[in-house]
Amino acid sequence: GTGSSILSALQDLFWLSKSKVEKQLQIISVLQWVLTFLIMGIACTLILMYILCTDCWAIAALYLAWLVFDWNTPKKGGRRSQWVRNWAIWRYFRDYFPIRLVKTHNLLTTRNYIFGYHPHGIMGLGAFCNFSTEATGVSQKFPGIRPYLATLAGNFRMPILRDYLMSGGICPVNRDSIDYILSKNGSGNAIIIVVGGAAESLNCTPGKNSVTLKNRKGFVKLALRHGADLVPVYSFGENEVYKQVIFEEGSWGRWVQKKFQKHIGFAPCIFHGRGLFSSNTWGLLPYSKPITTVVGEPITIPKIDNPSQKEVDFYHSMYVDSLIKLFDKYKSKFGLPETDVLEVN
């Protein structure tokens, strides 16, 4: 009757409103992370300097004293917080795209691991969501394994930002930090290294499946020195969430990017996503495209204190073959044509 029709209409309106609220929460969660990625370090540094010049200078001085005392913590495994990793905001972040983590093999808690994450994308959104939060259930899928996402060491010189990053289990991608985690932190550790780094980010664009890997062998040498198993990881969709202006080799734009990469550690990319209020306008928000991160089969690595170049090359070749096989096995399942091939540069 009329009463049931009104009730049905009200229910439809309620669910519509709930859906809209959830979408806005997803947008806010992604926006805060993008702003954190782009400006939090600089903003916190400037704010701290400003506070030093005000009547509240003692607060800034106390923090700086703590910073000196705590300076080496990032190199010693950091200070992760399960509370921060389980924030509800990360579930909204996950659902915006959505992001999904796929496990293909079990990992032994008696071993340590180095995950090679590919491709970098513009911001490594899949790497962050899957391994620096619990939004996709990494601890449930790999029980007993502690993931550490490695990022630029310069980020840990920024006040406040360093503490925020450490709370998610993020560590500097340098030898001191990696050596400590793999040798003095017990077993069951997994360091996630975005192998292609800044160089790879310069070439990421929708529809392109390429990785910078041929001459990236340092992570293999580290694995051999510590006897840490190598695990290839490929994120389908990582390159789809932003559009980038690609400068040709030899152009002035590419020259500037490479100079930044060499001297500062990151490459300035000219990119855009969607606008805050409309997907038809340009902005900083990534496009809501699915990102599926597939964790492949671990490659057993022996412990060799001083591996020769021949040994490094051998296991690097095994890793490259394993990554290509992982890509080929899952590409059609996650939206790519069977004819697509992974380009290894």
Side-chain angles (χ1 to χ4, degrees):
T2 305
S4 61
S5 298
I6 293 173
L7 181 61
S8 176
L10 287 173
Q11 287 176 335
D12 290 342
L13 181 62
F14 170 77
W15 286 113
L16 180 62
S17 299
K18 183 178 179 181
S19 173
K20 286 184 176 179
V21 168
E22 287 187 346
K23 188 62 181 176
Q24 292 306 312
L25 288 172
Q26 291 169 12
I27 289 173
I28 291 168
S29 69
V30 174
L31 179 63
Q32 68 83 26
W33 189 86
V34 170
L35 293 177
T36 296
F37 182 90
L38 294 175
I39 66 172
M40 184 177 178
I42 295 172
C44 288
T45 302
L46 293 175
I47 291 170
L48 195 66
M49 291 172 63
Y50 170 75
I51 293 174
L52 279 171
C53 300
T54 69
D55 293 339
C56 298
W57 64 269
I59 296 174
L62 284 171
Y63 178 79
L64 288 173
W66 159 253
L67 194 61
V68 172
F69 174 78
D70 195 54
W71 190 253
N72 288 323
T73 298
K75 299 177 184 177
K76 297 180 179 180
R79 188 171 45 246
R80 74 173 57 218
S81 166
Q82 286 302 116
W83 176 65
V84 173
R85 287 174 60 88
N86 281 287
W87 277 353
I89 194 171
W90 306 132
R91 295 193 289 275
Y92 289 112
F93 182 97
R94 171 199 67 197
D95 293 340
Y96 172 85
F97 297 92
I99 295 173
R100 181 184 171 203
L101 180 65
V102 176
K103 169 186 174 180
T104 62
H105 291 79
N106 292 323
L107 298 181
L108 298 175
T109 57
T110 54
R111 300 286 292 172
N112 283 325
Y113 300 91
I114 293 179
F115 288 17
Y117 184 92
H118 314 269
H120 183 287
I122 295 292
M123 297 185 184
L125 293 157
F128 171 80
C129 185
N130 285 308
F131 301 112
S132 293
T133 81
E134 294 296 332
T136 56
V138 63
S139 293
Q140 286 73 44
K141 289 175 179 170
F142 299 103
I145 301 297
R146 291 180 299 276
Y148 293 86
L149 176 61
T151 188
L152 288 176
N155 288 325
F156 295 89
R157 301 187 188 102
M158 302 283 192
I160 310 300
L161 175 63
R162 67 188 292 278
D163 302 287
Y164 189 43
L165 294 177
M166 283 194 291
S167 68
I170 301 177
C171 68
V173 62
N174 58 32
R175 181 168 172 175
D176 288 344
S177 177
I178 294 172
D179 281 348
Y180 182 91
I181 292 170
L182 295 180
S183 64
K184 299 179 181 178
N185 202 43
S187 60
N189 302 292
I191 297 180
I192 297 89
I193 299 177
V194 186
V195 178
E200 191 171 86
S201 69
L202 295 177
N203 295 314
C204 69
T205 188
K208 188 171 184 179
N209 303 299
S210 67
V211 296
T212 301
L213 182 57
K214 276 184 180 178
N215 297 316
R216 299 293 174 106
K217 300 180 181 181
F219 73 106
V220 178
K221 190 172 184 178
L222 279 169
L224 285 164
R225 288 181 62 243
H226 293 285
D229 293 349
L230 288 171
V231 182
V233 179
Y234 196 87
S235 257
F236 295 90
E238 186 73 65
N239 284 346
E240 308 299 316
V241 295
Y242 279 111
K243 296 178 181 178
Q244 180 183 189
V245 177
I246 304 292
F247 292 102
E248 296 295 328
E249 289 293 339
S251 66
W252 68 269
R254 183 53 65 99
W255 180 84
V256 170
Q257 288 176 322
K258 286 188 172 182
K259 285 295 181 183
F260 264 84
Q261 178 191 335
K262 180 179 179 180
H263 296 294
I264 300 178
F266 73 91
C269 301
I270 300 177
F271 65 92
H272 74 84
R274 51 155 290 183
L276 181 59
F277 301 106
S278 171
S279 59
N280 297 321
T281 58
W282 287 10
L284 288 176
L285 278 176
Y287 293 104
S288 52
K289 303 287 186 179
I291 298 175
T292 305
T293 302
V294 184
V295 179
E297 182 178 4
I299 303 167
T300 303
I301 302 293
K303 188 178 187 304
I304 305 173
D305 290 334
N306 294 296
S308 65
Q309 190 59 49
K310 184 177 180 181
E311 289 167 327
V312 171
D313 290 343
F314 174 76
Y315 285 102
H316 180 268
S317 177
M318 282 183 63
Y319 178 86
V320 172
D321 290 344
S322 183
L323 179 65
I324 292 172
K325 288 177 182 176
L326 181 71
F327 177 85
D328 288 340
K329 182 176 180 179
Y330 289 95
K331 61 185 177 184
S332 59
K333 187 175 181 180
F334 298 121
L336 297 181
E338 192 62 41
T339 53
D340 275 15
V341 295
L342 182 61
E343 181 183 329
V344 179
N345 299 313

